[in-house]
Amino acid sequence: MNDLLQLCVHDLEVSVLTGIYSEETHLPQPLRISVTVDLDAPDRFDPVTPLSHSKNYMDLKHAMTAALPEGTHFVLIEAVADHIAETLMIGDPRVVRVEVAIVKLALSERNESIGIRRVRHRR
């Protein structure tokens, strides 16, 4: 079994225009987004290994925020997850798997997490 490098940015709150009901379609909704990326990386990182041998965490955060097209209405949060995963895969061929979890905060009544988890593999 090969070793694996996973990069994570979890629990980032982002407002996204999403939803299917009339009360959801005109204002952005708060989402809690978490992303985990599996990266094809060297077997070992020495103390002087440069960042170019890994990936900048800010790339993950960018895919979860600024890379989401402003003004675009995503009917399903599944489409938001796909957009984030595709952004990360297109941007770096070393990304072999992306897991995106999205919680719709507006649906929570007792602090429960209601949402989806999407896993995409490079083909």
Side-chain angles (χ1 to χ4, degrees):
M1 183 169 216
N2 293 337
D3 291 339
L4 177 66
L5 176 64
Q6 291 187 316
L7 297 157
C8 306
V9 175
H10 288 175
D11 300 326
L12 185 66
E13 290 190 20
V14 181
S15 292
V16 178
L17 193 56
T18 184
I20 59 173
Y21 302 110
S22 60
E23 63 271 14
E24 298 177 319
T25 59
H26 62 285
L27 293 173
Q29 289 190 56
L31 304 177
R32 182 180 303 122
I33 304 175
S34 296
V35 172
T36 301
V37 170
D38 292 357
L39 193 67
D40 185 18
D43 293 333
R44 182 159 185 76
F45 291 90
D46 295 320
V48 295
T49 303
L51 177 59
S52 62
H53 287 88
S54 185
K55 185 165 185 60
N56 192 325
Y57 304 106
M58 296 308 288
D59 293 344
L60 279 66
K61 188 173 179 181
H62 173 79
M64 300 159 73
T65 56
L68 290 172
E70 192 172 325
T72 298
H73 179 259
F74 293 89
V75 175
L76 301 175
I77 59 174
E78 290 86 337
V80 176
D82 279 342
H83 189 278
I84 292 168
E86 289 167 6
T87 298
L88 289 164
M89 286 187 162
I90 289 169
D92 192 332
R94 298 171 303 163
V95 173
V96 295
R97 179 183 169 274
V98 178
E99 180 176 324
V100 181
I102 300 177
V103 173
K104 291 184 82 170
L105 296 173
L107 294 180
S108 176
E109 295 176 350
R110 294 192 174 101
N111 205 28
E112 69 272 27
S113 295
I114 300 171
I116 60 107
R117 182 173 310 271
R118 177 72 154 149
V119 178
R120 298 286 301 268
H121 298 266
R122 184 172 297 284
R123 300 175 201 260

